[in-house]
Amino acid sequence: MGKNRLYLVTGGAGFIGSHIVETLVNRGEKVRVLDNLMTGKHENIANFEDRIEFILGDIRDFKALGKAVDGVDTIFHEAAIPSVPRSVEEPQLNHDSNVNGTFNLLLAARDAGVRRVVYAASSSAYGEIGTGEKKEDQLPSPLSPYAVAKLVGEYYCQVFTRVYGLETVSLRYFNVFGPRQDPSSPYSGVISKFVTTLLNGDRPMIFGDGEQSRDFTYVANVVDANIRAAESADAVGEVINLGVNQRTTLNQLLSELQKIIGTNITPQYEPPRAGDIRHSLADISRAEKLLGFKPLIGLEEGLKATVDWYRRNV
Ligand code: UD2
């Protein structure tokens, strides 16, 4: 940072990408965004768009990528089609964007002499093995097309480091939430769904018995870890969990949100979702060791900030 470098954020108009862009811009860095606006939104970057370069383009399009990586030092690769159930419904789109798109990006980065790529990997790679904390040295066991695709992206990152010397770092995100997460699709993250449903006075839907658990991670923690991953020499070629090491069931999450919002609405229980994982909790000792990462904002504070944002914006 602060070295007059050019940063590219793919998916920079999306939920997580736009937070990375905002932080870079606030630090006075030069930022380029590549986004096809399929799930990303112009309004996510509206407050700082005069200070960035925006390219409307798709990571499935190698030509657009060539333009986007030109002169770039560091890439934060956030562009993806997220959602486990969406990948079950649309496996081809998942594969094209998340596998081929990531491969294209790495190839373009290699050819343009990019220094480093920080890749948005996913905790879904672990699958169902064990109920305890997930550690990076566990054998992955993906349960959905999305999990497979995100894992393939990691493998490609590691191989591009090994074979071509392109520096890569894969951050396995654990259920990220926060302002700007789009609640409007059936595939939206559960916190965006619960908050907006409760604010409307409607009944939230819980898939399964609600006793499945997640390590819900406020987006500011993710931005911080990405910035660290762009710099750390020790992180090159590594896969690193990114969570806050806090287990929360969906039933607990819902009651916490009802407390914050001031509602007492009975949820609707529906059959479990295909490809769903039961328990997901991050061991974050590698992130501490390699990135000097410590969670900045815990669940409760993150939920309050998120509820505030939806109250003001949706
Ligand atoms: C997966 C990954 C996460 C990220 C994300 C991107 C895991 C453990 N996590 O999140 O790291 O890559 O995919 O999309 O694989 N649910 C409800 N009601 C709703 C919506 C969801 O009960 O209205 C449930 C859902 O069945 C699941 C949990 O909430 O058990 C979390 O779902 P999600 O879609 O927010 O995220 P998840 O865990 O699939």
Coordinates of all heavy atoms in Angstrom, one line a residue, residues 43-79:
E43 N -25.0 1.2 -7.6 CA -25.1 2.0 -6.4 C -24.2 1.6 -5.3 O -23.9 2.4 -4.4 CB -26.6 1.9 -5.9 CG -27.0 0.5 -5.4 CD -28.5 0.3 -5.3 OE1 -29.2 0.4 -6.3 OE2 -28.9 -0.1 -4.2
N44 N -23.6 0.4 -5.4 CA -22.6 0.0 -4.3 C -21.3 0.8 -4.4 O -20.6 0.9 -3.4 CB -22.2 -1.5 -4.5 CG -23.3 -2.5 -4.1 OD1 -24.2 -2.1 -3.3 ND2 -23.3 -3.7 -4.5
I45 N -21.0 1.4 -5.6 CA -19.8 2.1 -5.7 C -20.1 3.6 -6.0 O -19.2 4.4 -6.2 CB -18.9 1.5 -6.8 CG1 -19.6 1.3 -8.1 CG2 -18.2 0.2 -6.3 CD1 -18.7 0.9 -9.3
A46 N -21.4 4.0 -5.9 CA -21.8 5.3 -6.4 C -21.1 6.4 -5.5 O -20.7 7.5 -6.1 CB -23.3 5.5 -6.2
N47 N -20.8 6.1 -4.3 CA -20.2 7.2 -3.4 C -18.7 7.5 -3.7 O -18.2 8.4 -3.2 CB -20.3 6.8 -1.9 CG -21.8 7.0 -1.4 OD1 -22.5 7.7 -2.1 ND2 -22.1 6.3 -0.4
F48 N -18.1 6.6 -4.4 CA -16.7 6.8 -4.7 C -16.3 6.6 -6.1 O -15.1 6.4 -6.5 CB -15.8 6.0 -3.7 CG -16.3 4.6 -3.4 CD1 -16.1 3.5 -4.2 CD2 -17.1 4.5 -2.3 CE1 -16.6 2.3 -3.9 CE2 -17.7 3.2 -1.9 CZ -17.4 2.1 -2.7
E49 N -17.3 6.5 -7.0 CA -17.0 6.2 -8.4 C -16.1 7.2 -9.1 O -15.5 6.9 -10.1 CB -18.2 5.8 -9.2 CG -19.1 7.0 -9.5 CD -20.3 6.5 -10.3 OE1 -20.2 5.6 -11.1 OE2 -21.4 7.1 -10.1
D50 N -16.2 8.5 -8.6 CA -15.4 9.5 -9.3 C -13.9 9.3 -9.0 O -13.0 9.9 -9.6 CB -15.8 10.9 -8.8 CG -15.8 11.0 -7.3 OD1 -16.1 10.0 -6.7 OD2 -15.6 12.1 -6.8
R51 N -13.6 8.4 -8.0 CA -12.2 8.2 -7.7 C -11.7 6.8 -8.1 O -10.6 6.4 -7.7 CB -12.0 8.3 -6.2 CG -12.1 9.8 -5.7 CD -12.0 10.0 -4.2 NE -13.2 9.6 -3.5 CZ -13.2 9.3 -2.2 NH1 -12.1 9.3 -1.5 NH2 -14.4 9.0 -1.7
I52 N -12.4 6.1 -9.0 CA -12.0 4.8 -9.5 C -12.1 4.8 -11.0 O -12.8 5.6 -11.6 CB -12.8 3.6 -8.9 CG1 -14.2 3.7 -9.3 CG2 -12.6 3.6 -7.4 CD1 -15.0 2.5 -9.0
E53 N -11.5 3.8 -11.6 CA -11.7 3.5 -13.0 C -12.6 2.3 -13.1 O -12.3 1.3 -12.4 CB -10.3 3.2 -13.6 CG -10.4 2.9 -15.1 CD -9.1 2.4 -15.6 OE1 -8.0 2.5 -14.9 OE2 -9.1 1.8 -16.8
F54 N -13.7 2.4 -13.8 CA -14.6 1.3 -13.9 C -14.6 0.7 -15.3 O -14.8 1.4 -16.3 CB -16.0 1.8 -13.5 CG -17.1 0.7 -13.6 CD1 -17.2 -0.2 -12.5 CD2 -17.8 0.4 -14.7 CE1 -18.1 -1.2 -12.5 CE2 -18.8 -0.6 -14.8 CZ -18.9 -1.4 -13.7
I55 N -14.5 -0.6 -15.3 CA -14.6 -1.3 -16.6 C -15.8 -2.3 -16.5 O -15.8 -3.2 -15.6 CB -13.3 -2.2 -17.0 CG1 -12.1 -1.2 -17.1 CG2 -13.5 -3.0 -18.2 CD1 -10.8 -1.9 -17.4
L56 N -16.7 -2.1 -17.4 CA -17.9 -3.0 -17.5 C -17.4 -4.2 -18.3 O -17.1 -4.1 -19.5 CB -19.1 -2.3 -18.2 CG -20.3 -3.2 -18.3 CD1 -20.9 -3.5 -16.9 CD2 -21.4 -2.5 -19.2
G57 N -17.3 -5.4 -17.7 CA -16.8 -6.5 -18.4 C -16.9 -7.8 -17.5 O -17.2 -7.7 -16.3
D58 N -16.7 -8.9 -18.2 CA -16.9 -10.2 -17.6 C -15.7 -11.0 -17.5 O -14.9 -11.0 -18.5 CB -18.0 -10.9 -18.5 CG -18.7 -12.0 -17.9 OD1 -18.0 -13.0 -17.4 OD2 -19.9 -12.0 -17.8
I59 N -15.5 -11.7 -16.4 CA -14.3 -12.6 -16.3 C -14.3 -13.8 -17.2 O -13.3 -14.5 -17.4 CB -14.0 -13.0 -14.8 CG1 -15.2 -13.7 -14.3 CG2 -13.6 -11.8 -14.0 CD1 -14.9 -14.4 -12.9
R60 N -15.5 -14.0 -17.8 CA -15.5 -15.1 -18.8 C -15.0 -14.7 -20.2 O -14.8 -15.5 -21.1 CB -17.0 -15.6 -19.0 CG -17.4 -16.4 -17.8 CD -18.9 -16.6 -17.8 NE -19.7 -15.4 -17.7 CZ -21.0 -15.3 -17.7 NH1 -21.7 -16.4 -17.8 NH2 -21.6 -14.1 -17.6
D61 N -14.7 -13.3 -20.3 CA -14.3 -12.7 -21.6 C -12.8 -12.4 -21.4 O -12.4 -11.4 -20.8 CB -15.2 -11.5 -21.8 CG -14.7 -10.7 -23.0 OD1 -13.7 -11.1 -23.7 OD2 -15.2 -9.6 -23.2
F62 N -12.0 -13.2 -22.1 CA -10.5 -13.1 -21.9 C -10.0 -11.7 -22.4 O -9.1 -11.1 -21.8 CB -9.8 -14.2 -22.7 CG -8.4 -14.4 -22.2 CD1 -8.1 -14.9 -20.9 CD2 -7.3 -14.0 -23.0 CE1 -6.8 -15.1 -20.5 CE2 -6.0 -14.1 -22.5 CZ -5.8 -14.7 -21.3
K63 N -10.7 -11.1 -23.4 CA -10.3 -9.8 -23.9 C -10.5 -8.7 -22.9 O -9.7 -7.9 -22.7 CB -11.1 -9.5 -25.2 CG -10.2 -9.4 -26.4 CD -11.0 -9.4 -27.6 CE -10.8 -8.3 -28.6 NZ -11.9 -8.3 -29.6
A64 N -11.7 -8.8 -22.3 CA -12.0 -7.8 -21.2 C -11.0 -7.9 -20.1 O -10.5 -6.9 -19.6 CB -13.4 -8.0 -20.7
L65 N -10.6 -9.1 -19.8 CA -9.6 -9.3 -18.7 C -8.2 -8.7 -19.1 O -7.6 -8.1 -18.2 CB -9.4 -10.8 -18.5 CG -10.4 -11.4 -17.5 CD1 -10.3 -12.9 -17.4 CD2 -10.2 -10.8 -16.1
G66 N -7.9 -8.9 -20.3 CA -6.6 -8.3 -20.8 C -6.5 -6.8 -20.6 O -5.5 -6.3 -20.1
K67 N -7.6 -6.2 -20.8 CA -7.7 -4.7 -20.6 C -7.6 -4.4 -19.1 O -6.9 -3.5 -18.7 CB -9.0 -4.2 -21.2 CG -9.0 -2.8 -21.7 CD -10.2 -2.5 -22.5 CE -11.0 -1.5 -21.7 NZ -12.4 -1.2 -22.3
A68 N -8.3 -5.2 -18.4 CA -8.5 -4.9 -16.9 C -7.1 -5.1 -16.2 O -6.9 -4.4 -15.2 CB -9.5 -5.8 -16.3
V69 N -6.3 -6.1 -16.6 CA -5.1 -6.4 -15.8 C -3.9 -5.5 -16.3 O -2.9 -5.5 -15.6 CB -4.7 -7.8 -15.9 CG1 -5.7 -8.7 -15.3 CG2 -4.4 -8.2 -17.4
D70 N -4.0 -4.7 -17.3 CA -2.9 -4.0 -17.9 C -2.4 -3.0 -16.8 O -3.1 -2.1 -16.3 CB -3.4 -3.2 -19.1 CG -2.2 -2.5 -19.8 OD1 -1.1 -3.1 -19.8 OD2 -2.4 -1.4 -20.3
G71 N -1.1 -3.1 -16.5 CA -0.5 -2.1 -15.6 C -0.8 -2.4 -14.1 O -0.4 -1.6 -13.2
V72 N -1.5 -3.5 -13.8 CA -1.9 -3.8 -12.4 C -0.8 -4.4 -11.6 O -0.1 -5.3 -12.1 CB -3.2 -4.6 -12.5 CG1 -3.5 -5.2 -11.1 CG2 -4.4 -3.8 -13.0
D73 N -0.7 -4.0 -10.3 CA 0.2 -4.7 -9.4 C -0.5 -5.8 -8.6 O 0.1 -6.9 -8.5 CB 0.7 -3.6 -8.4 CG 1.6 -4.2 -7.4 OD1 2.8 -4.3 -7.6 OD2 1.1 -4.5 -6.3
T74 N -1.7 -5.5 -8.1 CA -2.3 -6.5 -7.2 C -3.8 -6.6 -7.6 O -4.5 -5.6 -7.9 CB -2.3 -5.9 -5.7 OG1 -1.0 -5.6 -5.4 CG2 -2.9 -7.0 -4.8
I75 N -4.2 -7.9 -7.6 CA -5.7 -8.1 -7.9 C -6.3 -8.7 -6.7 O -5.8 -9.7 -6.1 CB -5.8 -9.1 -9.1 CG1 -5.1 -8.6 -10.4 CG2 -7.3 -9.4 -9.4 CD1 -5.1 -9.5 -11.5
F76 N -7.5 -8.2 -6.4 CA -8.4 -8.8 -5.4 C -9.5 -9.5 -6.3 O -10.3 -8.7 -6.9 CB -9.0 -7.8 -4.4 CG -7.9 -7.2 -3.6 CD1 -7.4 -5.9 -3.9 CD2 -7.4 -7.8 -2.4 CE1 -6.4 -5.3 -3.1 CE2 -6.4 -7.2 -1.6 CZ -6.0 -6.0 -2.0
H77 N -9.5 -10.8 -6.3 CA -10.5 -11.5 -7.2 C -11.7 -11.9 -6.5 O -11.8 -12.9 -5.9 CB -9.8 -12.7 -7.8 CG -10.6 -13.5 -8.7 ND1 -11.5 -12.9 -9.6 CD2 -10.7 -14.8 -8.9 CE1 -12.2 -13.8 -10.3 NE2 -11.7 -15.0 -9.9
E78 N -12.7 -11.0 -6.5 CA -14.0 -11.2 -5.8 C -15.1 -11.6 -6.8 O -16.2 -12.0 -6.3 CB -14.4 -9.9 -5.0 CG -13.3 -9.3 -4.2 CD -12.8 -10.3 -3.2 OE1 -13.5 -10.9 -2.4 OE2 -11.5 -10.4 -3.2
A79 N -14.9 -11.4 -8.1 CA -16.0 -11.7 -9.0 C -16.3 -13.2 -9.0 O -15.4 -14.0 -9.1 CB -15.5 -11.3 -10.4

